[in-house]
Amino acid sequence: MSSFAQVLVSALSRRPLKLIRVVVGVGCAIVLGLMWLNLIANQRAAEADEVGRIRQQARVHVRAAADTVQAEIDNFDFALHAARQAAMAGREALNMFGSIVTDAMPPQLVIQLFLIDASGYLQYSSLGPAPRNYLGDRDYFRTLAAAKNDRLVISDPVYGRLSNKWSIQFARGVWKADGEFMGVVALAVSPETWVTKLKSFEVEQSDVFAVLGADGSYLLRTLYADGYYGKRVPGDRPFLQHPEQMNGDFSVAGALDGVARMFAWIRLPSGLIVAMGIGLDEALAPVQALGRQSLLRTSLLSSLLVLASAALVLALGRYEKVVEKSRAREEHYRSVLDNMAEGIMIVDSDDRIIGVNPAFTGITGYGLDEVAGRNPALLSPKTPGARNLGELIGRYRSGSWEDDFDGVRWNGETYTGRATLSVVRAMDGRLTNRIVLLADVTERRRKDGEIWHQANFDSLTGLPNRALMMDRLERMISHARRQQSSVAVLFVDLDRFKPVNDNFGHEVGDRLLCEVARRLEALFREEDTVSRIGGDEFVVLLPRDFESAALEATAKKVVDRLSQPFGLGDDMIEISCCVGIARFPEDGDSASALIHKADVAMYRAKESGRSAWST
């Protein structure tokens, strides 16, 4: 509410008290006249103020909803761009990306990611294998097949022939480098799930949010479940009559339920229209009820002047409660940003900080007076290689972005921060501000690193465990398959290790395993992987070509090195080992096959005696 409106409301709320004092001083006749005039003026002003507040509230909510919807559209479009690249890379990349997309999006929001070939038949779906399905008759496919340039197409809700669900299709075309049309990649988004986000912006039961196509067709609506599919708003709506306008407001009775509402609307860059309607009857009911009560009281006061003071004070008290409630609601909306847990920083087009919230000060230690007009780079250390927040913000001039950065507080203490950036543009497209949400994720990242290390490394020797070893082996095989090279696997099993535990104790046995790990690491290069997969078994991965003689010489080095005595305190311990050798692609084309072949070869070596190796 503007300062002028606040002064006006304050003056009107004090006026009845002045009139009461006049009544006491000048007599009944003057009191009655002023009382009725005041009643009418206050009622009109209250209704006018309430309608203005409703209009402003609708604008605020529709702007927030529009930002949310646009952010979701940007996310979907980003996924489509990446999916298109994956589709060009092949089915395996598309399968992997489809799983990533469905897992990364909010649960049940994305029904499926799918690819339609140039002939209109479904070629891929993230839901899995599907029967042959012709989708060339879909409007979005025909639009993109005939398009001369790359564009995002958003469909009306359609009923899936395979998923048996209503969905909104976000689609982009796929072309070869020579411009030949290859098909369409699309995301099927659940309107039922998406609409739940819009429901968070509703205020009262009769309020409604809707997302419309450029032609007025309903895509999403928060009331009446799926009863709006296939329907359109009447053609007299301002956003249909004036397609050049980007936002506005109007009041009208709803086309589906007849409820009178104050609507505010915004046209998104994609042409979609986000509209919010606040039910006028429900919103004005408190003010109208107050007006009727005031009218009744004034009628009684006209004949009962003796009770004039008490009745007017009561009416004024109730009126002030309504005004205070309205003012408190507006203060609540203004205080939301100030009370968010995340720090908020507003950066102008010249990369200068122009606003922060209290949570920002809590995270960084800086107040607004200390950072106003300065570059966000001051929030990161100047050490080489640091992820500087100022550089990251300056790099992004459009869209949105989210990433970790290296932060430094006012007292020099460093931390790991998470920044989410959104770009705000003027109606003419000029960049005006960037809004950055900041959070301290130091402890979260530390715990993530500990969990990852515990899951992938042997706690005793510090070597990669079986899970990490298998993952690296799969990667080495994939690289070797592309480069037409080899990968060698050495399966090392210690001999005479059990007597060490029996005679010297498990503590000495553990120290011996650590020394074995260090000797093996010293024998191989950094790009090789030495891992402990359990007990006294070790696996060495060698991602390069070997002649058979050279590989057996390497195995001999392992046997010779581990057969040398180990000095553990006052004890000299002698063990030996057997080594099994397997190679890709001769002995297998998968990680599990190579490990199995190396294991079998190791047992062959054991059968021939200790300190041996076998292929």
Side-chain angles (χ1 to χ4, degrees), residues 59-82:
R59 291 173 179 173
V60 170
H61 279 271
V62 79
R63 169 58 63 185
D67 291 344
T68 299
V69 171
Q70 186 59 51
E72 290 288 0
I73 292 175
D74 292 342
N75 287 340
F76 297 150
D77 197 25
F78 177 82
L80 287 176
H81 278 286

Side-chain angles (χ1 to χ4, degrees), residues 31 97 199 202 217 266 328 401 424 435 441 510 517 579 605:
V31 169
F97 185 79
K199 289 183 179 178
E202 295 180 14
S217 58
I266 291 179
W401 156 83
V424 180
I435 300 175
V441 295
D510 288 346
V579 180

Side-chain angles (χ1 to χ4, degrees), residues 241-255:
Q241 294 287 325
H242 303 284
E244 74 283 356
Q245 293 184 4
M246 300 305 294
N247 58 69
D249 55 71
F250 62 94
S251 59
V252 71

Side-chain angles (χ1 to χ4, degrees), residues 395-425:
R395 189 183 307 160
Y396 293 90
R397 314 291 291 185
S398 62
S400 60
W401 156 83
E402 183 175 3
D403 202 356
D404 288 353
F405 68 93
D406 296 318
V408 59
R409 308 187 208 279
W410 70 277
N411 59 0
E413 178 186 352
T414 60
Y415 65 97
T416 300
R418 183 74 174 176
T420 302
L421 178 144
S422 298
V423 175
V424 180
R425 295 189 177 276

Side-chain angles (χ1 to χ4, degrees), residues 209-515:
F209 269 102
V211 178
L212 310 170
D215 60 354
S217 58
Y218 282 104
L219 273 67
L220 302 173
R221 181 182 169 99
T222 57
L223 291 180
Y224 311 117
D226 57 356
Y228 59 83
Y229 294 150
K231 295 183 173 58
R232 301 175 186 270
V233 298
D236 60 352
R237 297 299 190 253
F239 45 79
L240 298 179
Q241 294 287 325
H242 303 284
E244 74 283 356
Q245 293 184 4
M246 300 305 294
N247 58 69
D249 55 71
F250 62 94
S251 59
V252 71
L256 295 180
D257 56 13
V259 175
R261 295 184 177 90
M262 172 65 72
F263 283 90
W265 60 273
I266 291 179
R267 195 184 308 275
L268 300 180
S270 60
L272 300 185
I273 299 159
V274 180
M276 190 262 179
I278 298 179
L280 290 176
D281 291 342
E282 190 173 2
L284 291 175
V287 174
Q288 293 173 344
L290 179 64
R292 290 191 293 270
Q293 293 174 4
S294 298
L295 178 63
L296 178 60
R297 285 193 297 269
T298 303
S299 298
L300 293 176
L301 287 173
S302 298
S303 58
L304 302 172
L305 290 177
V306 177
L307 301 177
S309 296
L312 190 55
V313 169
L314 177 62
L316 182 59
R318 293 184 179 181
Y319 177 73
E320 287 176 346
K321 287 182 181 179
V322 172
V323 173
E324 186 61 30
K325 182 178 179 181
S326 175
R327 187 176 301 152
R329 181 184 296 176
E330 294 170 3
E331 288 293 337
H332 168 72
Y333 293 132
R334 284 201 300 268
S335 67
V336 167
L337 294 180
D338 289 340
N339 291 283
M340 289 181 64
E342 295 87 356
I344 297 178
M345 175 177 64
I346 303 175
V347 181
D348 65 13
S349 58
D350 295 323
D351 294 339
R352 295 174 302 188
I353 301 173
I354 60 174
V356 299
N357 71 338
F360 172 90
T361 302
I363 294 172
T364 67
Y366 290 105
L368 178 59
D369 56 338
E370 297 172 294
V371 297
R374 302 179 67 181
N375 190 284
L378 72 93
L379 302 177
S380 292
K382 296 181 173 58
T383 55
R387 296 168 294 181
N388 188 282
L389 180 59
E391 294 178 0
L392 293 174
I393 293 175
R395 189 183 307 160
Y396 293 90
R397 314 291 291 185
S398 62
S400 60
W401 156 83
E402 183 175 3
D403 202 356
D404 288 353
F405 68 93
D406 296 318
V408 59
R409 308 187 208 279
W410 70 277
N411 59 0
E413 178 186 352
T414 60
Y415 65 97
T416 300
R418 183 74 174 176
T420 302
L421 178 144
S422 298
V423 175
V424 180
R425 295 189 177 276
M427 298 301 296
D428 59 3
R430 291 181 297 104
L431 187 150
T432 56
N433 296 313
R434 278 157 292 175
I435 300 175
V436 185
L437 272 65
L438 304 178
D440 185 346
V441 295
T442 305
E443 185 64 17
R444 189 191 314 168
R445 293 295 178 263
R446 183 188 66 79
K447 290 181 179 178
D448 291 345
E450 289 180 354
I451 292 172
W452 184 87
H453 192 275
Q454 291 171 1
N456 291 278
F457 287 85
D458 177 39
S459 60
L460 175 62
T461 64
L463 295 178
N465 61 15
R466 177 182 287 273
L468 182 56
M469 181 273 294
M470 293 296 286
D471 179 71
R472 289 185 179 179
L473 181 53
E474 290 287 2
R475 294 174 183 269
M476 291 178 183
I477 291 172
S478 297
H479 181 268
R481 186 179 288 115
R482 291 193 300 270
Q483 301 298 322
Q484 295 184 348
S485 59
S486 299
V487 177
V489 176
L490 304 182
F491 196 113
V492 182
D493 184 83
L494 303 183
D495 295 330
R496 299 198 301 269
F497 177 73
K498 185 176 183 302
V500 174
N501 278 335
D502 294 341
N503 298 328
F504 296 94
H506 287 282
E507 181 178 351
V508 173
D510 288 346
R511 291 169 57 194
L512 176 60
L513 289 174
C514 292
E515 287 299 319

Side-chain angles (χ1 to χ4, degrees), residues 82-94 182:
R84 183 164 58 185
Q85 294 300 319
M88 298 292 291
R91 174 61 64 88
E92 182 177 353
L94 189 58
M182 294 179 60

